[in-house]
Amino acid sequence: MPQPGSPDFCTLGMFILDDIEFGSSRPAVKNVLGGAASFAVVGARMVAGPMHARSVSWIVDVGSDFPPEALASIKSWGTDCVIREDHSRLTTRAWNGYHPDEKRDFKYLTPKLRLEPHMLSDKQVWSKTFHMVCSPSRCVSIVDEIVTRRRELYEAGKASSADHSMSRPIFVWEPVPDLCTPEEQEKFLAAIRVVDVVSPNHQELGMMFEQGGWSAASEESQRLVDRILAAGIGPNQDGCLIIRSGRDGSYAFSRAQKLWLPAYHQPEFSSATAVVDPTGAGNSFLGGLAQGMVSAGREPFNVIDRVLSAAPAWQETLEAWGTRRNMPMALICATVAAGFVVEQIGVPRISVVDPGRKELWNESEFAERIRLYTQRLYETFKESPQRHRMIN
């Protein structure tokens, strides 16, 4: 078993303060809590719930210009957050510009401070899951360094179980958008062999493999999925490709299974104005996914099971995923988490109703939204399970 108090989730994403411009559609905003770290952590934190808030771990680098309100927001989540203050530098800041088709332009406004595995504490190194946003080459390096550090800690007597020290954590890799280019194809196909989940969005995957954009309806796109799976995801080739497709939801592929889940906000169920800003939704999706992959037996999974257990097609879906049977559940958690993130500029608002037991995000309980979403899935799994399982 892991050391007592070892995290469920740890991200090597950066904390960034964002300036966001939306073109002529609405006014620009500044000093928004952001970066892959913030959004991945808030996704994992929603799935973890108040009882397991401290199992979500990360590092925030605070510069001389760090706004007090941003620190207050971070502390309100109750995560295991390591604050590193350095008043000799500025906080990492970035600019985001959005186009009507959800395409994003991005650039840093101040020097970035990248997180490296050697910066993680011994406790963080024993995390059950790791989230990364990086190039293919850096992905391979991060995985190698973390696995090596775990082995060295065990050999130094700083782990409680040989089984845990020699087992691999779950690595969830989000390819950095700027390097989703044709020149990176072979490096990408090499990097996926060391991670458990690789998740580009549909536009990024299309750019990397010289397609206009990945589409589930395209035969060319399906051949691309087959090529990636054939290259082998994970050391045992049992990993997953998860394509995030914005308003169209997500598509998960393993060598044996396929699964499509719709986005949380759909016109027939949500207000037309529910989606305000897509910034960070993909990061939060993957933070929620990683946390969900190690949340069996906890409230979100119990809610899903209560709603969907009566649908034979759902039970067949879980069994079909075999050793990855938590994946469909984790994907539901990830989808609901991302649904909160798009409802405002920046991160969702948390309010505590019963400390340590009940909390609201954007005035809603996470478990209640899980219930609402799975009720919709129950109906469609009964009516057209082949659509979700992508069976022709």
Side-chain angles (χ1 to χ4, degrees), residues 60-94:
V60 172
D61 285 298
V62 171
S64 60
D65 59 340
F66 200 81
E69 60 271 19
L71 188 59
S73 293
I74 290 168
K75 289 183 176 180
S76 73
W77 302 344
T79 59
D80 178 26
C81 181
V82 178
I83 303 290
R84 302 194 305 181
E85 295 188 39
D86 183 353
H87 293 282
S88 68
R89 68 180 298 273
L90 297 175
T91 306
T92 303
R93 292 177 176 270

Side-chain angles (χ1 to χ4, degrees), residues 140-206:
V140 173
S141 175
I142 287 173
V143 170
D144 182 64
E145 286 188 54
I146 288 173
V147 171
T148 298
R149 272 196 67 186
R150 287 163 75 103
R151 183 178 65 249
E152 290 173 349
L153 286 171
Y154 173 72
E155 291 172 351
K158 296 181 179 179
S160 59
S161 166
D163 290 341
H164 179 68
S165 66
M166 298 310 292
S167 66
R168 285 170 48 90
I170 294 169
F171 290 101
V172 175
W173 176 40
E174 184 177 351
V176 65
D178 287 351
L179 290 177
C180 288
T181 63
E183 293 76 21
E184 292 288 307
Q185 282 184 24
E186 293 308 314
K187 292 179 182 178
F188 171 85
L189 295 173
I192 63 176
R193 297 175 189 138
V194 303
V195 299
D196 299 271
V197 173
V198 55
S199 182
N201 71 28
H202 62 297
Q203 293 172 332
E204 294 160 357
L205 188 61

